[in-house]
Amino acid sequence: EAAQGLARRVLTEQPKGDDSAKLTHAFRLCLVREPKDFEIDRLASLLEDSRAWYRSRDGEAKSLAGAPLPEGVTINEAAAWTATVRVLLNLDEFLTRG
């Protein structure tokens, strides 16, 4: 649920930004610092892999994305973002920040 909420927030607060801007926003929200280039590159790669995965798996996408969806966002896109931001929420840096 936390990943669903974070994905919705990023997609709502950065609706017209490119993926890099959205990923940077999610990173800042979670880790309160600027991401390094390689961190954004890895997250962008994960996002693309997630998009490919959920593009043909509507059932899995529906169960992961949750509801409500931001306006104009498909269930598959929401699921890809949820899977991607879940990684941020599971980073040691997020879990142990003081």
Side-chain angles (χ1 to χ4, degrees):
E1 290 176 359
Q4 291 170 348
L6 178 58
R8 277 194 297 274
R9 182 174 176 185
V10 168
L11 292 168
T12 301
E13 292 177 359
Q14 298 284 321
K16 299 203 187 272
D18 62 8
D19 287 343
S20 181
K22 291 175 186 175
L23 291 167
T24 298
H25 183 58
F27 199 96
R28 286 182 192 139
L29 289 171
C30 291
L31 302 177
V32 194
R33 69 171 175 86
E34 292 297 315
K36 295 179 173 92
D37 289 340
F38 80 90
E39 292 168 322
I40 291 299
D41 290 345
R42 286 185 181 171
L43 288 171
S45 178
L46 174 61
L47 179 60
E48 284 306 313
D49 290 347
S50 296
R51 282 177 173 147
W53 174 262
Y54 288 109
R55 193 172 291 126
S56 62
R57 292 171 176 84
D58 291 338
E60 289 93 338
K62 187 175 182 179
S63 67
L64 181 62
L69 296 178
E71 186 176 327
V73 176
T74 66
I75 195 86
N76 305 81
E77 184 71 0
W81 275 95
T82 300
T84 301
V85 300
R86 184 175 15 187
V87 169
L88 291 171
L89 296 175
N90 284 298
L91 289 173
D92 186 58
E93 185 176 353
F94 176 81
L95 297 171
T96 60
R97 82 174 181 197

